Amino acid sequence: MSTEYLLAIESTCDETAAALIDSHGCVLSECVATQELLHEKFSGVVPEIAARAHLERILPVLDTALKESGIPPDALSAIAVATFPGLPGSLIVGLSAAKALALAWNKPLVGINHIQAHIYACGLGATESIYPCVGFIVSGGHTSLYRCEEPLGWDYLGGTIDDAAGEAFDKVAVMLGLPFPGGPALSKLAAKGDRQAIRFPRPLLDDKERLDFSFSGLKTAVRYRIAGPSDPSHRAAVLDEQERANIAAGFEQAVIDCLIAKALAAIKKTRAKRLCVGGGVAANTSFREQLAVACQARNVELIIAKPQWCTDNAAMGALAWEKIRRGQFDPLDLDVQPGLVRPKR
Ligand code: KG4
Ligand code: ZN
């Protein structure tokens, strides 16, 4: 089989990314521009700022990825772009760039689902297919479980009814006076704490049949534990260092327990043999380690995306090859679809 090449673009939230991927799934180059410094003072992603930053970064990012790959535009088979779900303004920048290149270079356009791409990222670089599996996406915007028969076919099993796990990490990090994005910083602080010292609630854990998550009550429990004045980050500054670390550790463990319990329940319900986990929170070391132990004990094969492909990136746009192989191209009037339409259970 001769080798073909694909240019993939990602701009669903606050990372501007491009990657060149060949038809064997090999990532030839990738470039990711993050916007953390722009959003830090707001302790969260500001959609308008994100969209403008994408606009500034998209061309240099595309240029870098193309140059590093050494692949000329002529040799490309298609231009792929994540069109849903995500922030509307952010999605529009990536899609507009993809359309412009598709038109200028006379290449087909392929829109992809960002969540399916996060799951697909688990198989990047592997020789065997990761399907069928239970796909678990744990990020700043999503915490959902799917039964995935194949890369483009899935059934929704359950998900968060309020905050996503990463969002809870980010908000609790603010309460503890940690920098944005909160996940990595909170996890580092948690490593110095005692996981058993404070037992925070594990919402919905009693309901074994239900594959949903809820993190807003847990977040409130942390808020009450800190029990500070209106700006909790000020109160955190006067907390004893060990107490701060114990709160971080107790919170992180509560989230991990919920994530693992529901993932295992999904495996049991679907009788799947394989669990594939992607999204920013899947970069969390304790979560990775504890999930590995839990899966091993149940004889479940666990595949977690490599850390650099857990957070948003364009390499996972390799999913587009699955559409290209099925002849599923999109017209140039393709539009973004910001909200994920939740598939019926
Ligand atoms: O997948 P991602 O880059 O963007 C979305 O699609 O949402 O995930 C970003 C989220 C943020 O909430 C961030 O705090 C969280 O992933 N995150 C982590 C870690 N690294 C990133 N959460 C916990 N522990 C980490 N090590
Ligand atoms: Zn994502």
Side-chain angles (χ1 to χ4, degrees):
M1 190 174 77
S2 69
T3 304
E4 295 181 47
Y5 305 98
L6 168 77
L7 169 63
I9 300 173
E10 152 66 36
S11 69
T12 57
C13 187
D14 62 338
E15 264 94 24
T16 320
L20 268 291
I21 310 140
D22 76 16
S23 46
H24 309 290
C26 182
V27 182
L28 305 179
S29 70
E30 62 173 317
C31 178
V32 184
T34 59
Q35 303 179 6
E36 283 160 13
L37 295 176
L38 295 179
H39 302 289
E40 185 166 20
K41 65 171 176 277
F42 304 101
S43 301
V45 176
V46 182
E48 270 306 313
I49 294 176
R52 285 175 209 185
H54 281 304
L55 210 50
E56 284 167 13
R57 288 145 203 243
I58 190 87
L59 293 182
V61 162
L62 281 164
D63 230 22
T64 307
L66 275 162
K67 278 192 186 128
E68 276 181 13
S69 72
I71 304 297
D74 269 7
L76 295 174
S77 292
I79 315 289
V81 59
T83 55
F84 67 104
L87 301 171
S90 295
L91 289 167
I92 285 169
V93 177
L95 178 59
S96 304
K99 283 181 181 178
L101 295 179
L103 191 64
W105 294 338
N106 195 22
K107 302 291 175 189
L109 179 70
V110 187
I112 55 165
N113 176 326
H114 177 73
I115 305 294
Q116 287 180 340
H118 265 302
I119 296 166
Y120 198 74
C122 295
L124 279 178
T127 44
E128 301 281 310
S129 166
I130 61 165
Y131 302 92
C133 66
V134 164
F136 191 15
I137 156 96
V138 201
S139 74
H142 306 274
T143 303
S144 344
L145 287 156
Y146 298 89
R147 183 208 315 256
C148 304
E149 289 304 322
E150 46 107 8
L152 304 169
W154 65 353
D155 293 310
Y156 180 76
L157 296 169
T160 183
I161 56 169
D162 41 56
D163 290 4
E167 186 181 356
F169 264 94
D170 293 341
K171 289 176 178 168
V172 167
V174 172
M175 297 180 203
L176 291 169
L178 295 167
F180 174 83
L186 192 142
S187 168
K188 213 164 144 198
L189 180 62
K192 297 182 204 153
D194 175 355
R195 293 182 175 275
Q196 317 301 332
I198 306 167
R199 189 168 169 89
F200 287 116
R202 274 102 170 122
L204 301 182
L205 221 57
D206 293 342
D207 193 343
K208 303 248 180 302
E209 289 301 303
R210 197 169 164 191
L211 299 178
D212 289 329
F213 305 86
S214 168
F215 296 112
S216 71
L218 167 60
K219 199 178 62 188
T220 308
V222 176
R223 175 71 184 87
Y224 281 123
R225 176 75 198 203
I226 295 172
S230 53
D231 181 353
S233 61
H234 289 172
R235 177 68 178 83
V238 297
L239 278 179
D240 161 59
E241 204 34 45
Q242 191 56 51
E243 172 79 352
R244 268 179 93 229
N246 288 349
I247 291 172
F251 163 78
E252 185 180 65
Q253 194 54 50
V255 174
I256 291 174
D257 285 352
C258 295
L259 296 177
I260 293 180
K262 297 296 176 178
L264 294 177
I267 289 282
K268 195 169 167 201
K269 185 169 183 174
T270 58
R271 299 196 183 143
K273 303 256 179 303
R274 191 179 295 129
L275 175 66
C276 293
V277 193
V281 181
N284 184 285
T285 312
S286 301
F287 174 50
R288 294 173 85 95
E289 288 170 2
Q290 293 182 38
L291 186 59
V293 172
C295 285
Q296 199 173 20
R298 288 160 185 83
N299 220 2
V300 172
E301 184 188 357
L302 172 66
I303 307 177
I304 309 182
K306 292 201 172 102
Q308 76 268 27
W309 291 327
C310 282
T311 45
D312 287 346
N313 64 86
M316 62 195 191
L319 171 68
W321 283 119
E322 303 292 340
K323 294 190 83 175
I324 295 169
R325 284 182 196 122
R326 290 164 177 78
Q328 295 176 9
F329 298 101
D330 287 294
L332 282 176
D333 64 355
L334 177 67
D335 205 353
V336 300
Q337 189 187 322
L340 180 67
V341 179
R342 184 181 280 188
K344 287 200 179 70
R345 281 182 224 218

